[in-house]
């Protein structure tokens, strides 16, 4: 597959994103059954933040995943359910304020119960998105850490965004060396990662080399550094996606990206499996392909939404253009 062109050693080339999208997007096939196009789970949603997990989960469905779950706190569940009946919502997470009178042993029991509830579903998921609207409650983050560890043990891909990056930055061992993990930091989240892992400030004069080093230091975890051009590295190469999107920078676009990357990552893994059997597709890191496709599609959808709504463009407008943007590149067959 000539879809991905790259140079090692810190150099970067623009990814052939449209070719990646065409290659990894599966055709609509009436012989396939529910679930084969992807089952995505979003871990996030608390009292303060209910929009972010919804944006990530509904974006996965709009792109073409068959099922989308949200694991959140009880206080967020009813709100998220009210946004869309398409989502399967699990109110299993707990925040400290809800268990303030519980002793340490009781908290351990609650944590075990949460993990047990998630375990019932784990084997059904093709990818997890950890972080949208998660918040920073200590008990909640502790439980999510255990969920991530269990997912890693089960070889389930993990896309980490938002408050999930806060968690990972402070507990880098959660993803270190896990080649099925993707981190999607914005400028501030990236700065904290660099300071924590490399022990220095961001060097804008060596953007590609620094990103390459950061990924290598975390054990070749794939990092999608969001910016004017999105930069993607798995510690072996650096790719960029510079398709023009929208000058309107409304909140929530990162949540669309995390849900999109999750779906495309799964589809890329399916392509790689087919390549092993048929030898027709070059084997390329599926996490990198997922990032390229997710970045490109978000930018194209944002551009379309801005054409229609201009300054009033919102995240919900961009989500409504995801399907149209994908079909324009990779028409259903």
């Amino acid at each position: 597959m000539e879809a991905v062109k790259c140079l090692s050693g810190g150099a970067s080339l623009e990814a052939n994103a449209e070719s990646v999208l065409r290659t990894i997007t599966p055709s609509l096939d009436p012989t396939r059954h529910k679930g084969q196009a992807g089952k995505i789970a979003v871990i996030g949603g608390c009292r303060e933040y209910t929009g972010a997990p919804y944006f990530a989960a509904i974006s996965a469905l709009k792109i073409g995943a068959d099922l989308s779950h949200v694991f959140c706190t009880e206080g967020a569940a009813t709100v998220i359910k009210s946004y869309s009946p398409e989502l399967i919502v699990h109110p299993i997470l707990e925040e400290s304020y809800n268990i303030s009178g519980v002793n340490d042993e009781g908290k351990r029991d609650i944590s075990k119960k949460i993990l047990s509830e998630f375990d019932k579903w784990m084997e059904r998921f093709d990818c997890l998105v950890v972080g949208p609207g998660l918040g920073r409650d200590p008990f909640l983050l502790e439980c999510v850490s255990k969920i991530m560890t269990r997912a890693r043990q089960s070889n389930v891909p993990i896309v980490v965004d938002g408050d999930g990056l806060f968690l990972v930055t402070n507990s880098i061992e959660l993803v270190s060396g896990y080649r099925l993990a993707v981190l999607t930091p914005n400028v501030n989240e990236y700065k904290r990662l660099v300071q924590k892992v490399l022990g220095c400030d961001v060097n804008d004069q060596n953007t590609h080399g620094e990103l390459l080093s950061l990924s290598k230091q975390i054990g070749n975890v794939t990092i999608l550094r969001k910016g004017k051009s999105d930069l993607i590295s798995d510690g072996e190469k650096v790719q960029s996606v510079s398709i023009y999107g929208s000058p309107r920078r409304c909140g929530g676009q990162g949540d669309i990206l995390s849900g999109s990357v999750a779906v495309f990552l799964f589809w890329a893994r399916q392509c790689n499996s087919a390549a092993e059997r048929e030898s027709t597709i070059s084997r390329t890191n599926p996490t990198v392909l997922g990032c390229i496709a997710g970045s490109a599609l978000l930018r194209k959808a944002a551009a379309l939404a801005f054409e229609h709504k201009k300054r009033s463009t919102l995240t919900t407008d961009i989500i409504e253009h995801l399907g149209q943007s994908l079909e324009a590149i990779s028409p259903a067959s």
Side-chain angles (χ1 to χ4, degrees), residues 161-162 165 169 184-193 226:
D161 186 42
L165 289 166
T169 301
T184 61
N186 60 24
V187 60
N188 291 320
E189 293 159 347
Y190 182 77
K191 178 181 177 180
R192 289 192 287 268
L193 264 177
K226 295 179 283 193

Side-chain angles (χ1 to χ4, degrees), residues 1 62 82-83 92 174 214 230 237 299 302:
M1 180 176 65
K62 291 284 187 178
S82 74
Y83 295 151
I92 68 170
L174 289 171
L214 180 62
D230 289 342
K237 53 188 172 288
R299 287 166 174 264

Side-chain angles (χ1 to χ4, degrees), residues 254-269:
D255 304 311
I256 298 177
L257 179 65
S258 62
S260 302
V261 169
V263 178
F264 285 122
L265 195 166
F266 169 62
W267 287 350
R269 293 188 80 196

Side-chain angles (χ1 to χ4, degrees), residues 81-96:
K81 285 180 180 180
S82 74
Y83 295 151
S84 173
E86 305 289 347
L87 304 181
I88 303 167
V89 183
H90 308 263
I92 68 170
L93 302 181
E94 288 284 3
E95 293 179 272
S96 299

Side-chain angles (χ1 to χ4, degrees), residues 131-147:
L134 186 62
R136 298 185 179 182
D137 178 81
F139 182 77
L140 192 155
L141 292 181
E142 180 185 335
C143 292
V144 172
S145 295
K146 294 175 181 177
I147 289 174

Side-chain angles (χ1 to χ4, degrees), residues 157-300:
I158 306 172
V159 178
V160 186
D161 186 42
D163 291 316
L165 289 166
F166 172 81
L167 171 62
V168 163
T169 301
N170 291 305
S171 304
I172 205 71
E173 69 278 359
L174 289 171
V175 296
S176 183
Y178 188 47
R179 298 296 294 267
L180 291 176
V182 175
L183 311 183
T184 61
N186 60 24
V187 60
N188 291 320
E189 293 159 347
Y190 182 77
K191 178 181 177 180
R192 289 192 287 268
L193 264 177
V194 168
Q195 291 173 337
K196 179 72 174 184
V197 176
L198 299 182
C200 61
D201 289 327
V202 172
N203 181 1
D204 291 327
Q205 305 305 311
N206 185 29
T207 305
H208 301 149
E210 181 182 75
L211 179 60
L212 203 68
S213 297
L214 180 62
S215 176
K216 284 181 179 178
Q217 192 67 32
I218 310 177
N220 293 92
V221 166
T222 297
I223 301 173
L224 192 168
R225 180 186 177 181
K226 295 179 283 193
K228 183 177 180 181
S229 292
D230 289 342
L231 297 179
I232 301 155
S233 180
D234 60 357
E236 297 178 2
K237 53 188 172 288
V238 178
Q239 297 266 262
S240 64
V241 177
S242 304
I243 297 168
Y244 185 74
S246 166
R248 175 78 166 106
R249 301 304 304 157
C250 52
Q253 293 184 59
D255 304 311
I256 298 177
L257 179 65
S258 62
S260 302
V261 169
V263 178
F264 285 122
L265 195 166
F266 169 62
W267 287 350
R269 293 188 80 196
Q270 286 186 316
C271 276
N272 279 4
S273 295
E276 289 179 358
R277 295 192 301 270
E278 303 169 11
S279 299
T280 56
I281 302 174
S282 301
R283 298 200 64 197
T284 306
N285 190 340
T287 56
V288 171
L289 293 176
C291 288
I292 292 170
S295 171
L297 186 65
L298 169 61
R299 287 166 174 264
K300 287 179 173 295

